[in-house]
Amino acid sequence: MEIRKPGAMTSRGFTLIELMIVVALIGLLSAMAIAIYSGYDCRTKQSEAKKNLSTIYEAQTAYYVEYNQYASTLSDIGFVLKSTSWYTYAAGGNDQTFLAVASNGPKGDAWSVDQNKVFQNLTNGCAR
């Protein structure tokens, strides 16, 4: 039998096992959050490519109306990026068709748009 002095306080804390379980749960939740966030992040960056390709499509259409052919370069239609971009853009066209491509996005992603405004995901970097 243990003898305690009157008024002595006993100290209780967490065991090592309890602390290890909490640390493991925090690690598991963090890993799940990072995996989920990276998918959203990639798809958000893809929206940049689609928006800029849509702008190129509109400019190419206007160029075609004026010159009866599509522009062969982005500088012909006055396309200039105003901020840092995740993608690089290229375009080419002739008197009947054009193709604009956004490439080297996050995780090797690439998109294209043609004269019919058909967007195509050439390389889906977000699917990995």
Side-chain angles (χ1 to χ4, degrees):
M1 184 168 147
E2 184 179 65
I3 301 175
R4 293 188 189 169
K5 293 182 181 177
M9 308 231 359
T10 59
S11 175
R12 292 201 41 120
F14 296 107
T15 65
L16 183 59
I17 299 294
E18 291 170 333
L19 291 175
M20 288 175 55
I21 289 172
V22 168
V23 169
L25 287 174
I26 289 172
L28 180 66
L29 291 173
S30 297
M32 289 172 44
I34 289 170
I36 291 169
Y37 171 74
S38 68
Y40 287 128
D41 185 45
C42 190
R43 287 190 296 275
T44 301
K45 291 172 184 168
Q46 281 183 339
S47 69
E48 173 208 322
K50 293 177 194 176
K51 178 184 73 75
N52 285 334
L53 287 175
S54 184
T55 301
I56 292 170
Y57 168 80
E58 297 296 332
Q60 282 281 30
T61 302
Y63 189 93
Y64 185 82
V65 167
E66 188 170 343
Y67 298 104
N68 203 27
Q69 68 179 15
Y70 292 106
S72 59
T73 65
L74 291 175
S75 61
D76 291 343
I77 60 173
F79 180 76
V80 178
L81 292 173
K82 296 187 182 193
S83 63
T84 304
S85 176
W86 293 100
Y87 291 83
T88 56
Y89 298 89
N94 56 32
D95 58 343
Q96 295 180 5
T97 63
F98 87 87
L99 183 69
V101 177
S103 61
N104 296 327
K107 302 178 183 178
D109 202 38
W111 287 83
S112 70
V113 67
D114 64 12
Q115 71 281 352
N116 297 320
K117 201 173 185 177
V118 174
F119 289 92
Q120 186 175 5
N121 192 205
L122 304 173
T123 308
N124 190 357
C126 294
R128 297 178 184 143

